[in-house]
Amino acid sequence: MDKQLKIGNINLPKFPILLAPMEDITDISFRLMCKKHGADILISEFAASDALIRNVEKTKNKLRFEECERPFGIQIFGNDEAVMVEAAKIIESYQPDFIDINWGCPVKKVALKGAGSGMLQNPDLLVKITAAIIKAVHIPVTVKTRLGWDDNHKIIVDLSQKLQDIGIAALTIHGRTRSQMYHGLADWNLIGQVAQNTNIHIPIFGNGDICSDKECLQAKNNYPINGIMIGRAAIGNPWIFEQCKSLINNNVQMQLPSNAERLEECRQHFHLALKYKNEKQAVLEMRKHYKNYFKDIKNFKETRIRLLTCDNVGEIENIFSEIENKVC
């Protein structure tokens, strides 16, 4: 009998598909859409530790979640041990199922300050801060990171062992270095090397370049990972989770959603965004999703431009109605 996969005491499916935390993308509305379509584990947008202890309202709002999102983690980033420990305690008070530490974000404003993937240049401090957070809270702590800073410093094999030894409950590895940003191909061989290490006993989740159910199945079959995390491929495409699970679990490739179904889900997503955010925020942040929601509609360029420039809820609803007349 296969051993039950767990994060701490949290029981997981045999091969979970996770939604990657993405800034200004994985808010409550989008997470709920992904949950509806099969995402097994959800994680918040990343929260800056210094902003949390300064009680910044925008950052605190990232900690909100619905009970139906469980198992749910809140992600934190920073570069100062005392600040990150205090922020982790604040996060724990919101009662997520686990805390995820972001040691992987490659963007300049994060990494060049020594946070996110910037900490990969100082692995001893990375481990020290992680250990302090684990000691300070009473819920599982997980980590998301990259292979290393650059091609000459791919430290993930050694780092994964050190992180397990101090008590992290799971590790997600994005198969690129910080220097790669999001360019080039993810190196799944190194992810697999970590996963097949007989001394590693925590769940290892792979991340990078999984854009379809076939690629998800291929990664599962080729590498001894415990699950897959999907990021950019889910934007405007929450169906990808149930598609991956259908192919993995039942060897059935799901039919792609019709344009009418895409419109209906986009509408629901938009209404959820309006529920949880002010009108301006909802309108602006939905723009990131329209391209994929409507990618298969022919002669759609003019309509898409209108959606991307419109700042009025009523007019957006009118555009949705126009789309409905075309596709239904």
Side-chain angles (χ1 to χ4, degrees):
M1 181 180 292
D2 292 336
K3 183 179 179 181
Q4 172 70 55
L5 190 67
K6 295 187 175 201
I7 293 178
N9 292 321
I10 306 164
N11 289 331
L12 304 177
K14 185 176 181 180
F15 191 86
I17 311 296
L18 298 77
L19 171 64
M22 294 176 282
E23 182 68 0
D24 294 329
I25 297 290
T26 50
D27 57 10
I28 295 181
S29 58
F30 181 55
R31 295 196 308 261
L32 289 173
M33 296 303 297
C34 292
K35 188 72 172 183
K36 173 183 177 181
H37 288 284
D40 293 305
I41 303 173
L42 304 175
I43 304 172
S44 72
E45 302 169 79
F46 61 26
S49 55
D50 59 342
L52 275 181
I53 67 172
R54 288 187 284 110
N55 207 32
V56 175
E57 194 65 26
K58 181 180 179 181
T59 302
K60 285 169 53 182
N61 286 339
K62 294 180 180 180
L63 310 188
R64 296 170 55 203
F65 64 97
E66 298 286 2
E67 281 296 309
C68 64
E69 295 187 65
R70 296 185 186 277
F72 179 75
I74 294 176
Q75 191 178 77
I76 186 177
F77 78 97
N79 59 13
D80 180 276
E81 178 180 332
V83 172
M84 291 189 73
V85 165
E86 185 61 30
K89 292 178 181 178
I90 294 171
I91 288 173
E92 186 176 30
S93 71
Y94 282 74
Q95 300 183 343
D97 296 291
F98 61 96
I99 294 173
D100 188 63
I101 306 176
N102 182 319
W103 296 132
C105 178
V107 300
K108 286 183 178 180
K109 66 179 182 179
V110 174
L112 296 188
K113 292 181 179 179
S117 62
M119 194 61 72
L120 290 168
Q121 296 182 101
N122 193 345
D124 290 340
L125 181 58
L126 183 159
V127 172
K128 183 173 182 288
I129 293 174
T130 304
I133 292 172
I134 293 170
K135 185 177 180 180
V137 299
H138 301 90
I139 57 176
V141 174
T142 64
V143 165
K144 184 173 189 286
T145 190
R146 289 185 167 227
L147 304 179
W149 179 256
D150 56 29
D151 284 345
N152 296 320
H153 300 90
K154 292 183 177 180
I155 63 172
I156 190 60
V157 174
D158 180 60
L159 180 62
S160 61
Q161 184 71 61
K162 291 179 178 178
L163 288 170
Q164 176 184 261
D165 290 348
I166 62 169
I168 69 166
L171 175 65
T172 300
I173 305 170
H174 180 96
R176 290 181 174 87
T177 63
R178 188 273 162 181
S179 295
Q180 281 184 270
M181 300 293 287
Y182 295 101
H183 305 297
L185 296 176
D187 184 354
W188 278 81
N189 289 319
L190 261 182
I191 298 174
Q193 190 174 332
V194 173
Q196 70 185 8
N197 182 348
T198 57
N199 293 319
I200 294 292
H201 307 295
I202 59 173
I204 301 296
F205 304 126
N207 174 231
D209 295 346
I210 303 298
C211 300
S212 69
D213 51 0
K214 290 182 179 179
E215 289 169 329
C216 187
L217 179 62
Q218 185 178 33
K220 178 184 183 296
N221 289 341
N222 291 346
Y223 307 99
I225 50 177
N226 300 110
I228 295 280
M229 179 178 279
I230 296 176
R232 289 173 290 169
I235 299 173
N237 183 33
W239 298 271
I240 192 169
F241 299 96
E242 57 191 353
Q243 289 167 353
C244 289
K245 291 166 75 173
S246 177
L247 192 59
I248 286 172
N249 297 329
N250 304 314
N251 199 32
V252 173
Q253 189 164 23
M254 288 182 61
Q255 186 174 355
L256 294 176
S258 68
N259 288 331
E261 290 170 326
R262 289 180 178 278
L263 171 61
E264 181 58 32
E265 295 304 276
C266 183
R267 267 181 169 156
Q268 182 179 348
H269 186 175
F270 183 55
H271 293 156
L272 284 169
L274 290 171
K275 174 182 177 180
Y276 290 106
K277 297 194 173 183
N278 64 52
E279 183 175 312
K280 182 179 180 180
Q281 280 183 305
V283 168
L284 287 175
E285 294 185 11
M286 277 299 299
R287 291 175 180 175
K288 301 178 178 72
H289 298 272
Y290 291 138
K291 180 179 179 179
N292 284 338
Y293 269 126
F294 300 122
K295 67 178 182 179
D296 293 328
I297 299 179
K298 295 179 180 179
N299 304 316
F300 194 71
K301 181 177 179 180
E302 181 181 336
T303 306
R304 184 171 66 249
I305 291 173
R306 288 170 61 202
L307 280 171
L308 294 176
T309 55
C310 182
D311 57 7
N312 179 273
V313 169
E315 182 58 27
I316 291 173
E317 293 283 10
N318 289 337
I319 296 173
F320 287 161
S321 295
E322 292 176 21
I323 297 170
E324 184 174 18
N325 291 333
K326 289 181 181 179
V327 302
C328 295

